[in-house]
Amino acid sequence: MTLDLETRFTRTPLGFFPSPVHPLKRLSKALGINLWAKRDDVSSGLAFGGNKVRKLEWLASEAIAQGCDTLVSIGNIQSNHTRQVAAVAAALGMKCRLVQEAWTKWEDPAYEQVGNILLSRLMGATTVLEGEGYSTEIKETWQRALEEVRREGGKPYAIPAGASDHPLGGLGYASFADEVVRQEAEHDIFFDTVITATCTGSTQGGMIAGFHGQQRPRRLIGIDTACNESMTRAAVTKSARQTAELIGLSGEVRDEDVIIDPRFAGPDYGLPDEATLSAIRMGAQMEAMLTDPVYEGKSLAGLIAMARSGEIAPGSNVLYVHLGGAPALNAYHRAFE
Ligand SMILES: *Cc1c(COP(=O)(O)O)cnc(C)c1O
């Protein structure tokens, strides 16, 4: 069954979809599983892309339809999400105002100058450095940014952190589920286990909704990167249920459909531990696949640990969903010294 989202909602093409899917041969051999990667990190020509582009395709249509002229969003100082919002604004000829909060205590002056934030500035976004602390709550800093745009006579379109807590936030990854099934048919394979990083919720939430409509059950594991399992679980569950309802799925999303693994989140949001760093090195040195200390290094660390412990059974067909994030690497150079 396909969800047929394109005929019911408007998508503004911003990426190259389907994103590539390919085997990770050397890692497969090292881990004793049949490991493939789904490369949403290389699925757009807009400023290094990443998972937010897939979500923003659906939100951008609404922004255009409402006649908005400024995209307003919020994230960490090294947010991939806000960089992708800046990219979408540039590509659509809109203005962009970004609240860049300190969600991570990373002692390096370069943190506010290189990587994602550099790219956002280069693309013409206004970056406002104020506020701190990751939370899925609606932030007053973000409200203020929206107000500021209105005061200047602009028409803002509000995009929450990670484009998640938004009615259309889960559509991108619901359609991802369809994409995976088509690629499985092409390659004559079925991925029994899917591993994704999870944080603000609509990546995993959208996937849960999308996979929910399919015949064959599979295990989708979200590796928490917020270092706050209950907050992540609430965000993913909300997105999954909201998306399932929006696309008209029968059958409810149950609590047990939401699998969040908290063991690989490191000491805090945005801070890697030894396992994160060693996974980043392993991916880079065995596959030239670049992952970051905030998200994908953690999901890769989880995958490696579960394959080694047998929690992912030997010989399993595993799909590692790569959501982007490598543009933050330079800002974290000290982690690798
Ligand atoms: C935003 C992001 C995630 C988390 O996705 P959510 O939809 O916020 O759960 C994972 N990896 C990367 C690289 C991201 O930018």
Side-chain angles (χ1 to χ4, degrees):
M1 179 193 124
T2 74
L3 298 171
D4 206 18
L5 297 176
E6 301 262 355
T7 60
R8 296 189 286 150
F9 305 94
T10 319
R11 184 174 72 89
T12 300
L14 300 168
F16 309 133
F17 297 112
S19 63
V21 64
H22 65 98
L24 297 173
K25 295 201 177 111
R26 297 189 66 216
L27 274 178
S28 289
K29 204 160 167 224
L31 298 173
I33 56 176
N34 184 23
L35 178 61
W36 288 54
K38 173 87 170 138
R39 302 299 297 269
D40 274 19
D41 60 324
V42 292
S43 63
S44 176
L46 305 188
F48 301 125
N51 65 334
K52 307 312 181 306
V53 170
R54 191 188 277 278
K55 306 182 194 186
L56 290 168
E57 288 196 322
W58 305 88
L59 277 68
S61 307
E62 189 178 71
I64 295 166
Q66 292 177 357
C68 297
D69 60 13
T70 309
L71 302 182
V72 178
S73 197
I74 180 166
N76 184 27
I77 290 167
Q78 277 300 327
S79 165
N80 303 300
H81 164 71
T82 51
R83 183 250 310 153
Q84 287 164 86
V85 172
V88 169
L92 296 177
M94 292 185 184
K95 286 183 276 192
C96 183
R97 189 173 186 92
L98 302 172
V99 178
Q100 314 276 179
E101 297 192 313
W103 291 357
T104 303
K105 300 261 176 291
W106 191 258
E107 301 298 331
D108 184 343
Y111 201 76
E112 298 181 359
Q113 289 152 3
V114 305
N116 282 306
I117 196 160
L118 168 65
L119 304 179
S120 298
R121 288 170 175 154
L122 198 55
M123 290 184 282
T126 301
T127 54
V128 184
L129 274 72
E130 58 178 27
E132 58 182 38
Y134 171 66
S135 150
T136 50
E137 300 287 298
I138 292 175
K139 294 291 200 79
E140 176 221 340
T141 47
W142 186 50
Q143 311 272 41
R144 225 169 20 239
L146 289 161
E147 211 32 66
E148 194 75 13
V149 171
R150 284 186 205 106
R151 199 166 51 231
E152 288 167 5
K155 190 161 183 209
Y157 183 79
I159 302 175
S164 278
D165 192 7
H166 184 289
L168 306 176
L171 285 180
Y173 279 88
S175 73
F176 170 97
D178 274 354
E179 205 176 284
V180 168
V181 168
R182 285 195 297 274
Q183 289 177 317
E184 285 178 324
E186 276 166 33
H187 294 281
D188 195 21
I189 191 169
F190 175 76
F191 297 110
D192 47 68
T193 305
V194 179
I195 305 283
T196 181
T198 187
C199 187
T200 64
S202 64
T203 298
Q204 189 182 356
M207 283 184 205
I208 290 171
F211 286 137
H212 202 63
Q214 297 175 0
Q215 313 296 347
R216 234 172 131 176
R218 57 176 109 225
R219 180 163 65 144
L220 167 63
I221 303 174
I223 306 292
D224 181 35
T225 59
C227 205
N228 188 334
E229 187 188 359
S230 60
M231 188 162 69
T232 303
R233 171 172 297 283
V236 172
T237 306
K238 179 177 179 187
S239 174
R241 292 199 170 131
Q242 182 172 276
T243 307
E245 191 178 327
L246 181 69
I247 63 185
L249 287 181
S250 56
E252 56 163 348
V253 174
R254 298 156 308 165
D255 288 345
E256 57 267 37
D257 296 330
V258 181
I259 303 175
I260 312 266
D261 194 324
R263 292 174 293 169
F264 308 99
D268 201 352
Y269 171 84
L271 299 181
D273 61 13
E274 269 316 308
T276 319
L277 298 177
S278 111
I280 291 173
R281 289 200 172 89
M282 195 169 173
Q285 292 169 20
M286 298 194 74
E287 299 286 352
M289 184 175 77
L290 301 177
T291 56
D292 69 289
V294 185
Y295 298 106
E296 308 308 293
K298 292 179 178 178
S299 57
L300 191 57
L303 164 72
I304 291 166
M306 287 188 274
R308 285 183 173 151
S309 69
E311 287 170 74
I312 295 174
S316 301
N317 293 327
V318 181
L319 186 65
Y320 174 71
V321 186
H322 194 321
L323 301 174
L329 270 173
N330 284 321
Y332 282 92
H333 66 101
R334 282 192 178 158
F336 302 97
E337 275 166 5

